[in-house]
Amino acid sequence: MQIELIGCTSAGKSTLKSQIVAACRAQRLPIWDDKEFILHQVGLNGIKLALLRTLLVDGLAFIACVVNIQRHLSFHRLTLRMLRQLPLSTLGKFYIWRNVLRKLGKYEIIHFYDDCHDDGQLVLVDEGVLQIAHNLFVHTADTAVQIDLDSLLNFAKLAPPPDAVIYLRQPAALLVERILARGHKRIANPTPENVARFVDQAVSAFDRLVEYPTLKPKTLLIEDGTQVIAPTHSVDAMLSMIAQVLQESIGETSRTAAAEPDVTHANVGRFSKIAA
């Protein structure tokens, strides 16, 4: 089962990913980090150097994307058309296109081995195909770039879907604060106003994306880092189990934090402390 984490930049997806893996393993749920899973399939998970692991995964993903390019021709055409319209340099567009190929390739590797074994394993991805929407639809210069809703819906239709989605939705003010502190290469003039427009576009894009009919029933929402909201009619019992594990973990950490007099409200809840 391939589960993708999505959300605005600086929402804390990578840290949340690590915490979900830890919480699920504590409950003896068979879960993998995406890099671990891919390297394990080719017998290279024993490599410890982080840079080498990343390069190996990227190389394998590129090969998988090329091998399966015919399966996603319509999606490639859409992303190329969107890239031509973006207010970016040629080099910036090339980097996004490279990321598109890498994410599609990772999806194909996980999808292939998951289908072959079908043993109930969970693979958690924090830079997957749906996250490409952030690259294509969230940009700003001196003026806001409006989201093309028709293209966004087309993106949702053509993007190869994961088996489940976890959408990390943080407060806009927190996202603006983090991006102002860290900067972002796609915000040329990082004033509070421009960053706020950037965040508004990101939140709007993901809010609309998870409402798409094929994604809505498989999307688990983590609201404000403290509340887990499962779909009303979950398409998979495992997703419901993950929701329960996360909500119990949040509740337990909240009770512990409440007993500590020096913990501020902003830090209450395991996932409210998430950083990018």
Side-chain angles (χ1 to χ4, degrees):
M1 182 179 186
Q2 186 168 176
I3 307 173
E4 184 177 345
L5 273 168
I6 63 171
C8 179
T9 184
S10 292
K13 296 182 296 299
S14 295
T15 302
L16 175 62
K17 176 183 174 182
S18 298
Q19 292 175 327
I20 291 174
V21 169
C24 288
R25 286 177 178 170
Q27 296 291 328
R28 300 186 181 277
L29 295 178
I31 191 166
W32 292 81
D33 165 278
D34 54 345
K35 286 183 181 179
E36 287 180 336
F37 183 81
I38 291 171
L39 292 175
H40 175 73
Q41 305 310 317
V42 294
L44 296 175
N45 198 34
I47 295 174
K48 302 302 181 184
L49 187 63
L51 177 59
L52 182 55
R53 290 172 67 87
T54 298
L55 291 174
L56 286 169
V57 170
D58 287 354
L60 292 168
F62 179 76
I63 294 170
C65 182
V66 171
V67 169
N68 293 280
I69 195 166
Q70 291 291 331
R71 285 163 47 86
H72 307 297
L73 279 179
S74 296
F75 184 73
H76 284 296
R77 293 190 185 101
L78 172 67
T79 55
L80 286 172
R81 185 172 72 250
M82 294 299 301
L83 279 172
R84 286 195 293 269
Q85 301 172 5
L86 294 181
L88 296 175
S89 66
T90 301
L91 185 60
K93 294 176 181 180
F94 169 76
Y95 285 144
I96 291 178
W97 178 239
R98 184 186 64 180
N99 282 335
V100 170
L101 299 180
R102 178 171 58 87
K103 292 172 182 179
L104 278 172
K106 287 202 314 182
Y107 172 88
E108 285 296 339
I109 294 173
I110 296 169
H111 181 70
F112 173 78
Y113 283 106
D114 195 37
D115 276 358
C116 285
H117 299 296
D118 192 23
D119 52 4
Q121 294 188 97
L122 309 175
V123 184
L124 195 58
V125 184
D126 71 340
E127 284 294 333
V129 176
L130 296 182
Q131 190 65 24
I132 294 171
H134 199 292
N135 301 115
L136 297 179
F137 298 99
V138 184
H139 290 272
T140 184
D142 292 329
T143 58
V145 178
Q146 298 300 316
I147 294 175
D148 182 343
L149 294 181
D150 289 339
S151 293
L152 182 62
L153 290 175
N154 204 20
F155 172 90
K157 176 182 178 181
L158 296 175
D163 299 300
V165 181
I166 298 179
Y167 175 25
L168 177 55
R169 194 178 193 275
Q170 296 280 25
L174 176 62
L175 295 171
V176 170
E177 179 183 350
R178 288 177 177 175
I179 295 173
L180 281 172
R182 303 168 187 176
H184 195 285
K185 60 186 177 183
R186 296 207 307 273
I187 307 177
N189 182 21
T191 64
E193 294 77 13
N194 280 343
V195 172
R197 285 198 294 267
F198 185 86
V199 167
D200 286 343
Q201 288 179 49
V203 173
S204 177
F206 284 118
D207 283 353
R208 289 182 167 91
L209 187 62
V210 297
E211 287 295 318
Y212 192 74
T214 58
L215 296 177
K216 186 173 182 178
K218 61 172 69 174
T219 297
L220 181 66
L221 172 66
I222 299 183
E223 183 71 60
D224 295 347
T226 59
Q227 183 181 8
V228 179
I229 304 173
T232 304
H233 302 289
S234 179
V235 296
D236 194 281
M238 188 62 76
L239 184 62
S240 298
M241 186 179 296
I242 293 171
Q244 182 178 352
V245 169
L246 293 181
Q247 191 63 72
E248 289 174 355
S249 178
I250 290 172
E252 179 182 347
T253 309
S254 296
R255 289 190 294 273
T256 302
E260 298 176 3
D262 58 338
V263 176
T264 64
H265 176 72
N267 285 328
V268 174
R270 180 174 187 172
F271 299 112
S272 63
K273 297 183 288 183
I274 293 168

